[in-house]
Amino acid sequence: MSLCVVVLAAGKGTRMRSSLPKVLHPMAGRPMLDHVLGTAQELGAVANHVVYGFGGDQVQAAMAHRDVHWHEQAEQLGTGHAVMQAIDEIADDAHVLILYGDVPLLKATTLQALADLGGDDGLAVLTVMAADPTGYGRIVRDGQNQVLAIVEHKDATDAQREIREVNTGVMAARGHHLRGWLNRLDNDNQQNEYYLTDIVALAVADGVPVRAHVAEHEAETMGVNDKVHLAEVEAEHRRRTADALMRDGVTLIDPSRIDVRGSLTCGEDVVIDVNAVFIGEVRLGDGVHIGPNNVVIDSEIEDGTVLHANNVIEKSHLGPNCQIGPYARVRPETYLGSQVKLGNFVEVKKSNIAKGSKVNHLTYVGDATLGESVNVGAGTVTCNYDGANKHHTHLGDRVFIGSGTMLVAPVDVGEGATIGAGSVISKAAPAEKLTVSRSKQVTVDGWKRPVKNAKS
């Protein structure tokens, strides 16, 4: 099947109350339109046609990573009019699937079933049984349960408004059928618009079979018209993601409080506590434990590593059996070997820390290489920035850095060296020796602490 997808994405989305085009509002960290095009890619579409309008430059720039044929709808004269903008570039023998840029939750399996139902000779419409059908086009069937028409809510009779089966707007048909029906549309309705739904009655008149595929879940067909709807589709996406993770064996302490904004791949026996946020591409090995309130961005965490509460891990690689935090920040280009420990309020940036090393609390390590079994005491700072350039700090295996040490880069501390607490180290410290750099301690006799002047 040669499948072409047409995505309608021209609306401004006035009810969003935003200068951002509606289809660019993010769901799970990506624009809604990107989710729709991603689903089209899963279906193997040979061409994606996007009809744009408000904020066209922004929309095209945001989708620059997608292979898209762009069509402008300068005036928003209805859904039928929108599809007209793309139809001239679609071959007569193509199977055409019409989607919407603000309906991001439709599954590829649902859409494939719809496309298959249309086949070579018919028109397929995606419907759903709505708990509250107010505002939606009703599916009108005959005595043999065949689809006769879709009647918009504002044009429906009282009897038709009692119908719960509603149109989702998603359709599939061959290109030559679609072209003929679009050419016959008129705008004789209350809105003076060209309704795509009117092609159903035209297909019936032509003797073309109209087949309805009823979506399994109403939530899958949710569209977004305002921020309330956006929050609802976001919540449904989170629920769907949580269910998939648990079916794959992941333990979620509270499935309602996990947020995956990208892809999350987990090994066996992974435990994720509440309010964890995963952004971009994240991989968790076997036995990883993610404590509460962690944020992990484009990173890999190997087997057995534990993130205690309230850490931020970004674009880094954490080796097996590490202990992180709480309240650690691991910035991009950090690589931790196995059994590394980062304590409370530690920040590490663009550094390699080898097996068994410990960086204790209230410490900053940046642009550094730490060998195996290094111990960095509390309050240590690698002074890597001179105001213009960054410089490197190297600590050999088994180095012990006393608390409150300033390592002024570039600097090298040899294997097995010990640095006394409170030192400022700006020159190489030799291996296996103690290096101390402190000012002389002085006690001033007769000194008195200042007191505040009495208020007049």
Side-chain angles (χ1 to χ4, degrees):
M1 179 187 293
S2 177
L3 182 65
C4 290
V5 170
V6 177
V7 183
L8 307 189
K12 180 178 181 180
T14 304
R15 282 180 279 175
M16 299 296 283
R17 296 187 179 274
S18 172
S19 60
L20 187 68
K22 181 168 70 169
V23 296
L24 295 188
H25 281 266
M27 186 201 76
R30 292 161 48 207
M32 289 190 289
L33 178 57
D34 195 50
H35 285 275
V36 176
L37 292 174
T39 303
Q41 183 176 338
E42 288 184 56
L43 293 168
V46 297
N48 293 316
H49 299 266
V50 175
V51 181
Y52 69 92
F54 175 77
D57 290 343
Q58 285 179 273
V59 174
Q60 292 181 61
M63 296 297 111
H65 61 291
R66 296 287 187 185
D67 185 10
V68 171
H69 300 265
W70 295 100
H71 309 274
E72 183 179 13
Q73 186 185 20
E75 293 182 89
Q76 275 70 67
L77 300 178
T79 51
H81 179 258
V83 180
M84 292 176 191
Q85 311 311 304
I87 195 64
D88 287 345
E89 288 192 21
I90 295 174
D92 281 345
D93 61 350
H95 293 262
V96 184
L97 180 63
I98 300 170
L99 304 177
Y100 295 80
D102 58 358
V103 183
L105 292 177
L106 284 169
K107 298 176 183 177
T109 51
T110 299
L111 296 177
Q112 187 64 63
L114 181 72
D116 293 343
L117 187 65
D120 292 332
D121 63 336
L123 170 64
V125 297
L126 183 66
T127 68
V128 69
M129 301 303 294
D132 179 6
T134 304
Y136 294 96
R138 305 309 202 276
I139 302 299
V140 178
R141 296 175 180 265
D142 63 17
Q144 286 73 47
N145 207 32
Q146 299 300 305
V147 177
L148 290 178
I150 300 173
V151 180
E152 294 297 322
H153 179 89
K154 63 182 70 70
D155 299 318
T157 66
D158 289 342
Q160 290 170 336
R161 289 184 181 185
E162 295 298 316
I163 298 171
R164 287 185 54 233
E165 185 181 12
V166 300
N167 174 44
T168 67
V170 178
M171 297 184 177
R174 292 295 291 268
H176 68 93
H177 281 318
L178 190 59
R179 190 187 320 279
W181 296 326
L182 290 172
N183 287 336
R184 291 156 57 192
L185 286 181
D186 62 48
N187 62 349
D188 185 17
N189 52 64
Q190 290 186 17
Q191 297 296 108
N192 298 123
E193 293 184 350
Y194 297 91
Y195 292 153
L196 183 63
T197 50
D198 286 348
I199 70 174
V200 173
L202 295 174
V204 171
D206 291 346
V208 174
V210 179
R211 307 180 182 105
H213 179 69
V214 183
E216 186 175 357
H217 301 292
E218 185 178 359
E220 184 181 354
T221 67
M222 286 193 298
V224 174
N225 290 315
D226 56 30
K227 296 293 178 65
V228 173
H229 293 152
L230 184 61
E232 289 172 351
V233 298
E234 187 87 47
E236 172 62 19
H237 181 272
R238 284 196 298 269
R239 186 201 62 76
R240 190 187 286 183
T241 301
D243 286 354
L245 287 170
M246 290 187 291
R247 290 193 184 98
D248 286 341
V250 177
T251 298
L252 302 180
I253 301 303
D254 184 347
S256 68
R257 289 191 284 171
I258 181 173
D259 198 343
V260 179
R261 304 173 189 174
S263 65
L264 174 61
T265 304
C266 298
E268 294 184 350
D269 299 313
V270 170
V271 177
I272 300 175
D273 212 325
V274 300
N275 300 329
V277 180
F278 301 94
I279 300 173
E281 186 173 340
V282 176
R283 297 180 180 274
L284 306 181
D286 295 345
V288 168
H289 187 113
I290 305 294
N293 307 316
N294 276 281
V295 178
V296 184
I297 306 167
D298 288 317
S299 295
E300 181 172 0
I301 301 175
E302 292 194 52
D303 299 353
T305 286
V306 175
L307 301 189
H308 298 288
N310 302 297
N311 303 292
V312 178
I313 314 296
E314 182 177 3
K315 296 182 179 178
S316 295
H317 184 111
L318 279 56
N321 301 307
C322 294
Q323 296 283 326
I324 310 297
Y327 294 101
R329 183 183 180 194
V330 181
R331 292 169 58 191
E333 298 183 58
T334 293
Y335 185 95
L336 305 186
S338 63
Q339 302 173 54
V340 170
K341 180 180 179 181
L342 304 183
N344 304 7
F345 299 101
V346 166
E347 182 174 348
V348 180
K349 167 252 179 188
K350 199 176 183 180
S351 296
N352 290 305
I353 302 178
K355 179 181 177 180
S357 290
K358 299 178 181 179
V359 181
N360 295 305
H361 45 286
L362 301 167
T363 290
Y364 170 69
V365 174
D367 298 279
T369 301
L370 280 63
E372 295 187 2
S373 301
V374 170
N375 188 92
V376 179
T380 295
V381 176
T382 55
C383 307
N384 56 328
Y385 184 50
D386 63 8
N389 299 296
K390 300 290 180 67
H391 300 281
H392 197 78
T393 296
H394 178 265
L395 308 182
D397 294 346
R398 298 176 290 104
V399 162
F400 184 96
I401 305 293
S403 297
T405 295
M406 302 291 110
L407 299 167
V408 183
V411 69
D412 187 284
V413 180
E415 292 187 8
T418 298
I419 305 298
S423 295
V424 176
I425 304 299
S426 58
K427 297 178 182 178
E432 307 295 346
K433 294 184 179 180
L434 170 65
T435 299
V436 181
S437 172
R438 296 176 183 152
S439 59
K440 182 180 179 181
Q441 182 170 318
V442 177
T443 300
V444 179
D445 292 330
W447 179 84
K448 293 183 179 180
R449 182 178 296 169
V451 297
K452 290 183 178 180
N453 295 326
K455 293 183 178 180
S456 56

